[in-house]
Amino acid sequence: VLADTGQRVFQWVYTGSMVSVLTFSVIKGFTFTKTTKTTLMASSSLHDLVFDKILKSPMSFFDTTPTG
């Protein structure tokens, strides 16, 4: 059975493999970009919240915790 298959079959399998790799790479890129944007927004929000809490903390906290 394999003797009857020509080079065309292997070329189509290789072409199909490359198209699927390219397609999945593009999907992975879009997913990574979307996740990075969401993660960046979450970390910025968390940073702003913590920074605001530190600015509003009483001075006695910094007197009792000098490394804080």
Side-chain angles (χ1 to χ4, degrees), residues 57-68:
S57 63
M59 197 60 171
S60 61
F61 171 76
F62 297 104
D63 289 337
T64 57
T65 315
T67 61

Side-chain angles (χ1 to χ4, degrees), residues 27-48:
I27 291 171
K28 179 182 172 187
F30 282 128
T31 304
F32 181 74
T33 303
K34 178 72 172 163
T35 305
T36 303
K37 181 180 173 186
T38 305
T39 308
L40 182 63
M41 288 174 38
S43 63
S44 295
S45 175
L46 183 62
H47 176 270
D48 292 343

Side-chain angles (χ1 to χ4, degrees), residues 44-58:
S44 295
S45 175
L46 183 62
H47 176 270
D48 292 343
L49 179 69
V50 170
F51 190 69
D52 189 47
K53 294 287 184 179
I54 288 174
L55 287 179
K56 291 182 179 179
S57 63

Side-chain angles (χ1 to χ4, degrees), residues 5-21:
T5 60
Q7 291 293 328
R8 291 276 190 219
V9 174
F10 297 116
Q11 290 173 351
W12 282 111
V13 169
Y14 182 75
T15 303
S17 299
M18 291 299 108
V19 167
S20 66
V21 166

